[in-house]
Amino acid sequence: MGHFGFSYTGLIYLLMLFIPNIIWARNMPQGYTAERENKILLALERIGEGLTCYCALLFSDFNLQEPSGWSWWLAASFLLMLLYEMWWIRYFRSQRQMEDFYSSLWGIPLAGATLPVAAFFLLGVYGRVVWMMLSSVVLGIGHIGIHLQHKRQLQKNKS
């Protein structure tokens, strides 16, 4: 279920998540608006964000442990976070158009939404914290759902 205690690993993940998003707030894609987002997806995204942040910081199970077969889950999770950082670098170097923001990375669709959700889910697997896995699923439904909605609208506007 999870052991309560501070997680420095969770803090590192949250910094990897929040720092690019803070920079993004000043470099949003041209024409970005959140006006027509689905209210249910938005509520799920907000709930998932809060729960995921809470779990990341308050379960010590995410901190480094003795190497074992479970360590591969942490390695895979961290790799996804590194890919997420690479996606942000590519976005910030781009023209910062809507197409750039909803782009894929190496075949991973909607990489800016998909990668961190998957990374936090795998972090939950590594720590064997079902609450993190559930929080990530709620976050994913909302966050990826909103990004998918925006991408579809973008494609519809182009045709």
Side-chain angles (χ1 to χ4, degrees):
M1 285 304 253
H3 298 94
F4 285 108
F6 178 71
S7 172
Y8 57 82
T9 303
L11 177 62
I12 291 167
Y13 272 58
L14 291 175
L15 289 172
M16 292 174 78
L17 181 73
F18 288 135
I19 290 171
N21 277 279
I22 291 168
I23 297 168
W24 171 79
R26 298 182 194 171
N27 297 280
M28 289 184 187
Q30 298 169 7
Y32 176 82
T33 181
E35 290 176 8
R36 289 184 263 158
E37 290 179 348
N38 180 298
K39 302 299 181 206
I40 294 170
L41 292 177
L42 186 60
L44 289 172
E45 180 186 45
R46 297 293 182 252
I47 291 166
E49 286 171 346
L51 292 173
T52 299
C53 290
Y54 173 80
C55 289
L57 292 173
L58 297 179
F59 285 104
S60 60
D61 305 87
F62 305 130
N63 293 333
L64 294 178
Q65 302 165 17
E66 289 291 318
S68 71
W70 288 97
S71 301
W72 291 107
W73 292 109
L74 179 61
S77 174
F78 193 70
L79 175 63
L80 292 178
M81 286 304 290
L82 291 176
L83 289 174
Y84 177 66
E85 299 303 317
M86 290 173 58
W87 178 85
W88 273 115
I89 290 167
R90 190 181 72 184
Y91 169 75
F92 289 129
R93 288 184 169 177
S94 74
Q95 295 295 316
R96 294 190 295 277
Q97 302 293 317
M98 294 290 279
E99 296 85 15
D100 301 317
F101 191 61
Y102 298 108
S103 66
S104 63
L105 178 71
W106 295 339
I108 301 167
L110 298 169
T114 307
L115 288 168
V117 169
F120 278 96
F121 183 85
L122 293 182
L123 184 64
V125 172
Y126 166 71
R128 295 176 217 106
V129 178
V130 69
W131 302 114
M132 175 62 95
M133 291 182 266
L134 292 173
S135 298
S136 299
V137 168
V138 172
L139 173 62
I141 292 168
H143 192 56
I144 296 169
I146 288 171
H147 277 248
L148 185 58
Q149 183 182 38
H150 282 277
K151 179 148 181 130
R152 286 182 179 157
Q153 187 62 43
L154 180 65
Q155 291 169 336
K156 184 178 173 183
N157 291 344
K158 283 185 141 184
S159 52

